[in-house]
Each structure stands twice: as structure tokens, then as C-alpha cells.
Amino acid sequence: GKRAFIAGVADDNGYGWAIAKSLAAAGAEILVGTWVPALNIFESSLRRGKFDESRKLQDGSLMEISKVYPLDAVYDNPEDVPEDVKTNKRYAGATNWTVQEVAESVKKDFGTIDILVHSLANGPEVSKPLSETSRKGYLAALSASSYSYISLVKHFLPIMNPGGSAISLTYIASERIIPGYGGGMSSAKAALESDTRVLAFEAGRKKRIRVNTISAGPLGSRAAKAIGF
Ligand code: NAD
């Protein structure tokens, strides 16, 4: 069977959860990466059976998640983490949640993976039009929504089996005007799409790994509702 690591699952409403279910139904073992500030509520909800109904697969069995890893994909290694984040109450309880450390933990726990899914995005100024977006907000959108894919591919590539596959989720606002998708999120998706072509070229030659992005339709996820979509 194949093993998948899905980054960006913190409830049962988003694309990450749905992709996890499809992969589980196809026989894959499921590992997820959950944003550190959302970790406690996600894990306790899982434990308390809050997701049992939506864990149901077509054959009646429940999707099993072999392990939930805390992850913050805007930090590549511990040296990148600023002091105020390190000591923040929402982060202090978890350990080894930078991209490099998560890849190391997955290697230690499971050895290799076959499928890497990037289902995460964040744009702190998404509700502002692009022309009113600050430099800081724009760079934060690209860090969380675009560079995070480069970082995940970079750090997981060494533990991916040849023939494996990486995917992310993009949005049509990269190529057409979608009012309301601001804060540099349209730019972030354009970067994600361009980076996908370059990463596919590099990972394909290096390790026979496919790299793709899927332009998804609108879904009432937590992220989408937060921006009034
Ligand atoms: P979602 O809220 O279910 O998923 C986004 C996840 O990203 C959340 O779990 C959040 O905790 C996580 N996250 C945010 N910042 C993070 C960080 N720094 N490190 C780790 N995790 C972080 O919402 P979704 O809509 O399913 O989003 C998944 C992907 O699908 C995103 O790339 C999004 O842009 C894309 N997408 C969504 C839609 C839509 O309409 N919902 C359409 C096209 C593309």
C-alpha cells in the first residue's frame, strides 16, 4: 500500500480531509500535518468521535489516521522560529513542528512516503484589495501559501519513493480577477502554479517524483468562509 502525508487538515470541512478520505478509500495509509494553533481542538475532536460520521468510507469502515503531526509550514527549521512564536501559548505545548523536523519525524516513524499533499494557505490581509495590501501581508501570503509547497517538496523529497507524487490546491484567481480574493492571495496562487512547473522539472529528473497542482472549485471550508466566499 501507499503512504500519504497530507499537510493542512484541521477539521472535516476542507479539501485536505476530503483528499485524505479518497486516498484512504483507495487503500493508502494516512498521515496528516495540522497547523499548530489548531492541533489541540483537532486531536480532541478526533478522540471524542466528533468526526466519526465524516470518517465513514464507502465500504462502511472508518478512515484511520495513523498519526497527526503538528506543523507550521511558514518555518523551515527551529532557527527560523522567532522568540515570540516559540513562547506563544499556542505553540509552546507542541514540538518538532517546523517543516524540516516534521519530515525527520515522518522518516523516523514510517521511513518513506509515496504521496505528499499540500492543502494549506493563509493570507492575513486576504480581505484587502491587492492595491491596499501591505508588503508584510503580501509576503506572508506567499510564505504560507506558495513557499510552503517548495519547502515541503524540498524536505520530503528525500523520503519519497520514486514514482511518487506531490499535489497542491490552487485557485482560478491566479489567472482571472476574483474580487475579494485579495491580500496577495491571487499572487500566491500564480507563484504556486509557476513553481509547480519548475518543481516538477526538478523532482522529476532528480527522483521520478511528479509535482502537480489542482485548480479547485469553490468549497465552503473554514478558510473560504473566513473570507466570505
Ligand atoms: P481549510 O481551512 O480546510 O485548509 C487550510 C488549512 O491550512 C487549515 O487547516 C489551516 O489550519 C492550514 N494552515 C494555515 N496556515 C498554515 C501554516 N502556516 N502551516 C500549516 N497549516 C496551515 O481550507 P481549504 O479551502 O480546504 O484549503 C485547502 C487548499 O485549497 C488551500 O490551498 C486553498 O487555497 C485551496 N483552495 C480552496 C478553495 C475553496 O473554495 N475552499 C478553492 C480553490 C483552492
Side-chain angles (χ1 to χ4, degrees), residues 11-145:
D11 60 38
D12 59 350
N13 294 317
Y15 276 117
W17 179 271
I19 291 167
K21 275 181 79 175
S22 298
L23 291 172
E29 177 173 18
I30 304 301
L31 318 177
V32 305
T34 301
W35 195 31
V36 186
L39 180 73
N40 280 342
I41 178 143
F42 179 62
E43 282 196 307
S44 69
S45 300
L46 259 182
R47 239 187 348 259
R48 295 202 324 266
K50 211 189 137 217
F51 299 134
D52 284 359
E53 199 49 47
S54 42
R55 278 172 62 210
K56 267 213 186 98
L57 304 176
Q58 210 114 71
D59 69 359
S61 68
L62 297 189
M63 168 171 72
E64 292 297 336
I65 299 176
S66 295
K67 190 155 177 180
V68 177
Y69 292 88
L71 168 71
D72 194 321
V74 306
Y75 304 110
D76 300 316
N77 51 58
E79 294 81 71
D80 284 352
V81 183
E83 207 50 45
D84 62 316
V85 175
K86 256 181 220 154
T87 54
N88 184 304
K89 252 203 347 273
R90 299 158 86 201
Y91 284 79
T95 53
N96 299 325
W97 41 259
T98 67
V99 176
Q100 186 188 316
E101 292 169 294
V102 174
E104 281 165 5
S105 301
V106 171
K107 180 180 182 182
K108 188 154 58 69
D109 297 340
F110 296 96
T112 60
I113 63 165
D114 303 284
I115 299 160
L116 173 66
V117 180
H118 173 287
S119 181
L120 63 97
N122 198 16
E125 297 182 20
V126 67
S127 55
K128 286 189 194 162
L130 184 61
S131 51
E132 285 163 30
T133 297
S134 73
R135 186 181 300 269
K136 195 170 168 217
Y138 180 93
L139 293 175
L142 269 99
S143 175
S145 314

